[in-house]
PDB file of all heavy atoms in Angstrom:
ATOM      1  N   ALA A 107       4.649   5.153 -20.532  1.00 96.00           N
ATOM      2  CA  ALA A 107       5.785   5.584 -21.353  1.00 96.00           C
ATOM      3  C   ALA A 107       6.024   7.086 -21.210  1.00 96.00           C
ATOM      4  O   ALA A 107       7.176   7.553 -21.209  1.00 96.00           O
ATOM      5  CB  ALA A 107       5.533   5.234 -22.820  1.00 96.00           C
ATOM      6  N   ALA A 108       4.923   7.827 -21.082  1.00 97.00           N
ATOM      7  CA  ALA A 108       5.051   9.289 -20.930  1.00 97.00           C
ATOM      8  C   ALA A 108       5.711   9.631 -19.598  1.00 97.00           C
ATOM      9  O   ALA A 108       6.584  10.503 -19.524  1.00 97.00           O
ATOM     10  CB  ALA A 108       3.679   9.942 -21.027  1.00 97.00           C
ATOM     11  N   TRP A 109       5.281   8.954 -18.527  1.00 97.00           N
ATOM     12  CA  TRP A 109       5.906   9.220 -17.213  1.00 97.00           C
ATOM     13  C   TRP A 109       7.386   8.856 -17.247  1.00 97.00           C
ATOM     14  O   TRP A 109       8.239   9.583 -16.719  1.00 97.00           O
ATOM     15  CB  TRP A 109       5.199   8.432 -16.109  1.00 97.00           C
ATOM     16  CG  TRP A 109       3.844   8.954 -15.761  1.00 97.00           C
ATOM     17  CD1 TRP A 109       2.651   8.307 -15.902  1.00 97.00           C
ATOM     18  CD2 TRP A 109       3.521  10.257 -15.234  1.00 97.00           C
ATOM     19  NE1 TRP A 109       1.614   9.118 -15.502  1.00 97.00           N
ATOM     20  CE2 TRP A 109       2.119  10.315 -15.079  1.00 97.00           C
ATOM     21  CE3 TRP A 109       4.276  11.373 -14.885  1.00 97.00           C
ATOM     22  CZ2 TRP A 109       1.449  11.434 -14.586  1.00 97.00           C
ATOM     23  CZ3 TRP A 109       3.610  12.504 -14.398  1.00 97.00           C
ATOM     24  CH2 TRP A 109       2.228  12.520 -14.253  1.00 97.00           C
ATOM     25  N   ALA A 110       7.692   7.719 -17.853  1.00 96.00           N
ATOM     26  CA  ALA A 110       9.093   7.296 -17.927  1.00 96.00           C
ATOM     27  C   ALA A 110       9.921   8.324 -18.697  1.00 96.00           C
ATOM     28  O   ALA A 110      11.057   8.632 -18.317  1.00 96.00           O
ATOM     29  CB  ALA A 110       9.180   5.925 -18.590  1.00 96.00           C
ATOM     30  N   ALA A 111       9.344   8.875 -19.749  1.00 96.00           N
ATOM     31  CA  ALA A 111      10.063   9.889 -20.534  1.00 96.00           C
ATOM     32  C   ALA A 111      10.170  11.202 -19.755  1.00 96.00           C
ATOM     33  O   ALA A 111      11.212  11.873 -19.781  1.00 96.00           O
ATOM     34  CB  ALA A 111       9.349  10.116 -21.864  1.00 96.00           C
ATOM     35  N   TYR A 112       9.093  11.570 -19.053  1.00 97.00           N
ATOM     36  CA  TYR A 112       9.057  12.820 -18.283  1.00 97.00           C
ATOM     37  C   TYR A 112      10.095  12.804 -17.166  1.00 97.00           C
ATOM     38  O   TYR A 112      10.649  13.846 -16.793  1.00 97.00           O
ATOM     39  CB  TYR A 112       7.651  12.982 -17.695  1.00 97.00           C
ATOM     40  CG  TYR A 112       7.393  14.262 -16.936  1.00 97.00           C
ATOM     41  CD1 TYR A 112       7.439  15.504 -17.576  1.00 97.00           C
ATOM     42  CD2 TYR A 112       7.070  14.233 -15.576  1.00 97.00           C
ATOM     43  CE1 TYR A 112       7.179  16.670 -16.885  1.00 97.00           C
ATOM     44  CE2 TYR A 112       6.807  15.397 -14.879  1.00 97.00           C
ATOM     45  CZ  TYR A 112       6.863  16.613 -15.529  1.00 97.00           C
ATOM     46  OH  TYR A 112       6.605  17.779 -14.845  1.00 97.00           O
ATOM     47  N   TRP A 113      10.392  11.625 -16.663  1.00 97.00           N
ATOM     48  CA  TRP A 113      11.314  11.518 -15.524  1.00 97.00           C
ATOM     49  C   TRP A 113      12.763  11.282 -15.932  1.00 97.00           C
ATOM     50  O   TRP A 113      13.609  11.018 -15.068  1.00 97.00           O
ATOM     51  CB  TRP A 113      10.841  10.387 -14.595  1.00 97.00           C
ATOM     52  CG  TRP A 113       9.598  10.735 -13.834  1.00 97.00           C
ATOM     53  CD1 TRP A 113       9.180  11.981 -13.460  1.00 97.00           C
ATOM     54  CD2 TRP A 113       8.602   9.822 -13.356  1.00 97.00           C
ATOM     55  NE1 TRP A 113       7.982  11.906 -12.781  1.00 97.00           N
ATOM     56  CE2 TRP A 113       7.610  10.587 -12.698  1.00 97.00           C
ATOM     57  CE3 TRP A 113       8.459   8.438 -13.413  1.00 97.00           C
ATOM     58  CZ2 TRP A 113       6.487  10.010 -12.112  1.00 97.00           C
ATOM     59  CZ3 TRP A 113       7.345   7.863 -12.820  1.00 97.00           C
ATOM     60  CH2 TRP A 113       6.370   8.644 -12.178  1.00 97.00           C
ATOM     61  N   GLN A 114      13.048  11.336 -17.207  1.00 95.00           N
ATOM     62  CA  GLN A 114      14.455  11.229 -17.615  1.00 95.00           C
ATOM     63  C   GLN A 114      15.219  12.467 -17.125  1.00 95.00           C
ATOM     64  O   GLN A 114      14.655  13.561 -17.043  1.00 95.00           O
ATOM     65  CB  GLN A 114      14.563  11.119 -19.139  1.00 95.00           C
ATOM     66  CG  GLN A 114      14.010   9.811 -19.685  1.00 95.00           C
ATOM     67  CD  GLN A 114      14.619   8.592 -19.023  1.00 95.00           C
ATOM     68  OE1 GLN A 114      15.829   8.416 -19.038  1.00 95.00           O
ATOM     69  NE2 GLN A 114      13.771   7.760 -18.397  1.00 95.00           N
ATOM     70  N   PRO A 115      16.498  12.327 -16.825  1.00 93.00           N
ATOM     71  CA  PRO A 115      17.277  13.488 -16.346  1.00 93.00           C
ATOM     72  C   PRO A 115      17.231  14.659 -17.332  1.00 93.00           C
ATOM     73  O   PRO A 115      17.142  15.814 -16.914  1.00 93.00           O
ATOM     74  CB  PRO A 115      18.694  12.920 -16.217  1.00 93.00           C
ATOM     75  CG  PRO A 115      18.509  11.446 -16.062  1.00 93.00           C
ATOM     76  CD  PRO A 115      17.287  11.079 -16.838  1.00 93.00           C
ATOM     77  N   ALA A 116      17.311  14.351 -18.616  1.00 92.00           N
ATOM     78  CA  ALA A 116      17.150  15.386 -19.653  1.00 92.00           C
ATOM     79  C   ALA A 116      16.044  14.897 -20.594  1.00 92.00           C
ATOM     80  O   ALA A 116      16.306  14.231 -21.594  1.00 92.00           O
ATOM     81  CB  ALA A 116      18.445  15.607 -20.422  1.00 92.00           C
ATOM     82  N   PRO A 117      14.802  15.211 -20.256  1.00 97.00           N
ATOM     83  CA  PRO A 117      13.690  14.676 -21.062  1.00 97.00           C
ATOM     84  C   PRO A 117      13.785  15.145 -22.512  1.00 97.00           C
ATOM     85  O   PRO A 117      14.249  16.251 -22.794  1.00 97.00           O
ATOM     86  CB  PRO A 117      12.455  15.279 -20.384  1.00 97.00           C
ATOM     87  CG  PRO A 117      12.903  15.757 -19.058  1.00 97.00           C
ATOM     88  CD  PRO A 117      14.353  16.081 -19.177  1.00 97.00           C
ATOM     89  N   ARG A 118      13.315  14.302 -23.399  1.00 97.00           N
ATOM     90  CA  ARG A 118      13.313  14.659 -24.817  1.00 97.00           C
ATOM     91  C   ARG A 118      12.295  15.766 -25.080  1.00 97.00           C
ATOM     92  O   ARG A 118      11.304  15.904 -24.351  1.00 97.00           O
ATOM     93  CB  ARG A 118      12.955  13.426 -25.659  1.00 97.00           C
ATOM     94  CG  ARG A 118      14.065  12.407 -25.777  1.00 97.00           C
ATOM     95  CD  ARG A 118      13.565  11.186 -26.515  1.00 97.00           C
ATOM     96  NE  ARG A 118      12.678  10.376 -25.693  1.00 97.00           N
ATOM     97  CZ  ARG A 118      11.545   9.799 -26.128  1.00 97.00           C
ATOM     98  NH1 ARG A 118      11.157   9.972 -27.376  1.00 97.00           N
ATOM     99  NH2 ARG A 118      10.808   9.071 -25.320  1.00 97.00           N
ATOM    100  N   PRO A 119      12.524  16.556 -26.139  1.00 98.00           N
ATOM    101  CA  PRO A 119      11.543  17.594 -26.507  1.00 98.00           C
ATOM    102  C   PRO A 119      10.151  16.979 -26.679  1.00 98.00           C
ATOM    103  O   PRO A 119      10.002  15.932 -27.298  1.00 98.00           O
ATOM    104  CB  PRO A 119      12.085  18.128 -27.839  1.00 98.00           C
ATOM    105  CG  PRO A 119      13.549  17.868 -27.801  1.00 98.00           C
ATOM    106  CD  PRO A 119      13.700  16.572 -27.042  1.00 98.00           C
ATOM    107  N   GLY A 120       9.172  17.673 -26.120  1.00 98.00           N
ATOM    108  CA  GLY A 120       7.798  17.207 -26.237  1.00 98.00           C
ATOM    109  C   GLY A 120       7.390  16.234 -25.146  1.00 98.00           C
ATOM    110  O   GLY A 120       6.209  15.892 -25.015  1.00 98.00           O
ATOM    111  N   TRP A 121       8.360  15.754 -24.370  1.00 98.00           N
ATOM    112  CA  TRP A 121       8.094  14.820 -23.267  1.00 98.00           C
ATOM    113  C   TRP A 121       8.529  15.439 -21.949  1.00 98.00           C
ATOM    114  O   TRP A 121       8.620  14.750 -20.934  1.00 98.00           O
ATOM    115  CB  TRP A 121       8.851  13.505 -23.493  1.00 98.00           C
ATOM    116  CG  TRP A 121       8.482  12.811 -24.753  1.00 98.00           C
ATOM    117  CD1 TRP A 121       8.997  13.033 -25.999  1.00 98.00           C
ATOM    118  CD2 TRP A 121       7.489  11.782 -24.921  1.00 98.00           C
ATOM    119  NE1 TRP A 121       8.396  12.205 -26.919  1.00 98.00           N
ATOM    120  CE2 TRP A 121       7.472  11.423 -26.287  1.00 98.00           C
ATOM    121  CE3 TRP A 121       6.620  11.127 -24.028  1.00 98.00           C
ATOM    122  CZ2 TRP A 121       6.616  10.446 -26.787  1.00 98.00           C
ATOM    123  CZ3 TRP A 121       5.765  10.154 -24.534  1.00 98.00           C
ATOM    124  CH2 TRP A 121       5.774   9.821 -25.898  1.00 98.00           C
ATOM    125  N   HIS A 122       8.788  16.735 -21.939  1.00 98.00           N
ATOM    126  CA  HIS A 122       9.456  17.388 -20.814  1.00 98.00           C
ATOM    127  C   HIS A 122       8.515  18.209 -19.953  1.00 98.00           C
ATOM    128  O   HIS A 122       8.955  18.830 -18.995  1.00 98.00           O
ATOM    129  CB  HIS A 122      10.578  18.296 -21.338  1.00 98.00           C
ATOM    130  CG  HIS A 122      10.090  19.425 -22.197  1.00 98.00           C
ATOM    131  ND1 HIS A 122       9.573  19.234 -23.460  1.00 98.00           N
ATOM    132  CD2 HIS A 122      10.009  20.756 -21.966  1.00 98.00           C
ATOM    133  CE1 HIS A 122       9.218  20.399 -23.966  1.00 98.00           C
ATOM    134  NE2 HIS A 122       9.457  21.334 -23.072  1.00 98.00           N
ATOM    135  N   ASP A 123       7.228  18.236 -20.248  1.00 98.00           N
ATOM    136  CA  ASP A 123       6.301  19.105 -19.529  1.00 98.00           C
ATOM    137  C   ASP A 123       4.923  18.453 -19.512  1.00 98.00           C
ATOM    138  O   ASP A 123       4.532  17.790 -20.484  1.00 98.00           O
ATOM    139  CB  ASP A 123       6.234  20.473 -20.223  1.00 98.00           C
ATOM    140  CG  ASP A 123       5.303  21.431 -19.516  1.00 98.00           C
ATOM    141  OD1 ASP A 123       5.684  21.942 -18.451  1.00 98.00           O
ATOM    142  OD2 ASP A 123       4.184  21.657 -20.019  1.00 98.00           O
TER     143      ASP A 123
END
Side-chain angles (χ1 to χ4, degrees):
Chain A
W109 288 117
Y112 184 64
W113 288 332
Q114 292 306 303
R118 285 175 286 138
W121 300 85
H122 63 290
D123 181 75

